[in-house]
Amino acid sequence: MLLQENVPLAPLTTFKVGGPARYFVEAQSIGEVEEAVALARSRRLELFVLGGGSNLVVADAGWPGLVLKVAISGIEQRSSDDGKTLFEVGGGEPWDKFVAHAVMQRFAGVECLSGIPGSVGGTPVQNVGAYGQDVSETVESVEALDLKDNQVRELCHEACGFAYRSSIFNTSERGRFIILRVTYALTGGGEPRISYADLERHFDGWESAPNVAEIREAVRHIRALKGMLIVPGDEDCRSAGSFFKNPVLTEAQHEGLERRAATRSLNVPSYPALEMRKKVSAAWLVEHSGFRKGYGSGRVGISHKHALAIVNRGGASAAEVLALKDQIQLRVEEIWGVKLEPEPVMVGF
Ligand code: EPU
């Protein structure tokens, strides 16, 4: 295992902002992850675990401790008792490589999550979701190193505590576990999911139901139109994807929002979410607070393709990104009375 010093982190992220890691190691095996943890402890270095770097904003000063990139690879397949097929996937595998692998063999369960950047190990952390699916529907278990007692543990689905964009890994037990491998349970020859409006529209008029491969192609196409697919040369994808979570409001909060919208002759687009609550579109709130698609003439701005993505137009600093984030949060709260919560992980702030 090679210990490197002063390694720039920006190139390891999709946002391409931020400074270096004081120390950096890449771990190909569980043994190497344990070695890196021991090293951080002995040198009293604060540890940051890096996956695919697709949901991060790294501070301009970088990370003063040790960055550990989990590069555990491998996809192993076996049948389970309930007729499903289990895929045990290394945390360092690119997520979309696994989706392609599953879809090619006609397994259903992750097809709507096509084209999402990042690594497998990151997916349970924020319960990655898109186009009507999220990984909590297929995560069977998570193998993780517990930093409390240095034991490798198998966390079952229930133990992960999944909710919208969250799990124990980014809430109650943040920083406790390093995810090594994830096991997903997929259905061979299963029916693909078409529940999201964009997908319904895409397949409108089709005579026969699309298969998982067709769903994958459609999702990648729709993501590209929104700048949410990593396409070399497209500056609208130099981002961390959605910069804010879609706020989940109480009935009363939602009514308040609708009243404010009515005074402006607007209708709030809304989606039924968890019982008695309403999830509203953060993109809509951003767009209706003066930050339209393409906003900003400097090095940071809003994507031309989606109002929820803050983009690095080239050479942006993390400070500039955070300044725009603050400005957006302030305006949205002033106008709509809703506090937007950032979605990406902030590193080194
Ligand atoms: N909208 C706007 N302006 C825009 C874009 C969207 O007003 O520029 C409004 C429209 O009313 C639209 C609604 O927002 O109908 C929803 O937009 P979209 O379908 O693009 O989804 P989203 O809620 O903005 C979420 C996830 C995405 C995921 C998509 C598709 C969050 C924070 N974001 O976005 O995830 O790909 O749904 O399922 O939940 C990510 O987390 O990084 C991410 C890209």
Side-chain angles (χ1 to χ4, degrees):
M1 200 180 57
L2 180 68
L3 178 65
Q4 294 173 266
E5 291 188 51
N6 302 317
V7 173
L9 291 173
L12 302 177
T13 70
T14 53
F15 220 149
K16 313 277 182 233
V17 303
R22 179 68 189 87
Y23 295 98
F24 182 91
V25 289
E26 201 173 292
Q28 319 272 351
S29 65
I30 297 183
E32 287 189 353
V33 171
E34 288 170 328
E35 220 181 295
V37 170
L39 179 87
R41 287 219 172 104
S42 67
R43 296 209 190 178
R44 294 174 197 277
L45 298 170
E46 212 183 327
L47 189 64
F48 176 74
V49 181
L50 178 71
S54 59
N55 200 40
L56 300 181
V57 186
V58 177
D60 293 317
W63 182 256
L66 175 69
V67 171
L68 162 62
K69 184 169 165 66
V70 176
I72 298 172
S73 61
I75 305 180
E76 278 170 35
Q77 208 164 317
R78 61 178 192 276
S79 333
S80 79
D81 304 337
D82 59 0
K84 295 205 168 179
T85 299
L86 301 178
F87 291 79
E88 191 178 313
V89 192
E93 287 288 359
W95 167 255
D96 200 46
K97 176 183 155 192
F98 165 57
V99 176
H101 175 89
V103 164
M104 209 156 63
Q105 299 181 65
R106 297 289 186 261
F107 281 96
V110 289
E111 65 283 354
C112 298
L113 304 175
S114 292
I116 295 181
S119 63
V120 162
T123 60
V125 177
Q126 56 147 344
N127 184 16
V128 162
Y131 300 99
Q133 249 171 12
D134 62 45
V135 292
S136 76
E137 296 171 56
T138 45
V139 169
E140 180 83 2
S141 63
V142 173
E143 186 181 17
L145 177 66
D146 188 342
L147 297 176
K148 253 192 183 167
D149 56 6
N150 292 328
Q151 296 297 310
V152 173
R153 299 191 186 289
E154 186 88 9
L155 287 97
C156 68
H157 173 94
E158 286 70 29
C160 297
F162 291 119
Y164 168 61
R165 288 296 189 269
S166 83
S167 69
I168 61 162
F169 306 111
N170 66 359
T171 56
S172 56
E173 305 293 347
R174 181 193 294 269
R176 175 170 162 189
F177 294 101
I178 298 178
I179 296 179
L180 306 166
R181 268 192 275 264
V182 184
T183 300
Y184 303 88
L186 305 184
T187 312
E191 286 294 308
R193 171 83 49 90
I194 312 176
S195 65
Y196 205 81
D198 288 332
L199 279 178
E200 282 170 358
R201 262 197 302 275
H202 186 94
F203 291 110
D204 196 27
W206 274 47
E207 306 248 306
S208 57
N211 61 34
V212 282
E214 286 158 338
I215 299 276
R216 173 172 167 78
E217 273 322 298
V219 167
R220 287 181 59 93
H221 173 76
I222 295 165
R223 290 191 73 92
L225 293 178
K226 295 186 190 183
M228 298 284 180
L229 191 73
I230 305 292
V231 177
D234 179 0
E235 68 167 43
D236 281 326
C237 66
R238 214 183 288 128
S239 77
S242 298
F243 204 93
F244 299 103
K245 292 183 196 172
N246 286 332
V248 179
L249 305 182
T250 62
E251 204 70 44
Q253 285 171 321
H254 197 264
E255 276 166 22
L257 185 63
E258 279 174 330
R259 271 197 302 277
R260 289 182 194 229
T263 64
R264 293 161 184 262
S265 308
L266 290 170
N267 282 316
V268 183
S270 76
Y271 316 89
L274 320 167
E275 320 109 75
M276 301 299 291
R277 289 170 142 205
K278 298 254 186 179
K279 193 151 80 172
V280 291
S281 159
W284 187 90
L285 292 168
V286 169
E287 205 158 2
H288 289 84
S289 301
F291 304 97
R292 299 201 168 275
K293 295 184 192 79
Y295 172 91
S297 51
R299 300 192 296 188
V300 296
I302 303 284
S303 159
H304 291 92
K305 305 188 181 83
H306 202 292
L308 204 46
I310 294 183
V311 294
N312 170 6
R313 299 239 163 83
S317 67
E320 288 168 307
V321 171
L322 259 63
L324 179 57
K325 161 208 158 276
D326 288 344
Q327 218 186 329
I328 294 171
Q329 281 176 312
L330 199 73
R331 283 298 283 159
V332 168
E333 190 156 15
E334 261 171 22
I335 299 177
W336 300 105
V338 174
K339 198 162 169 42
L340 289 183
E341 216 187 298
E343 198 218 32
V345 174
M346 306 284 169
V347 185
F349 290 94

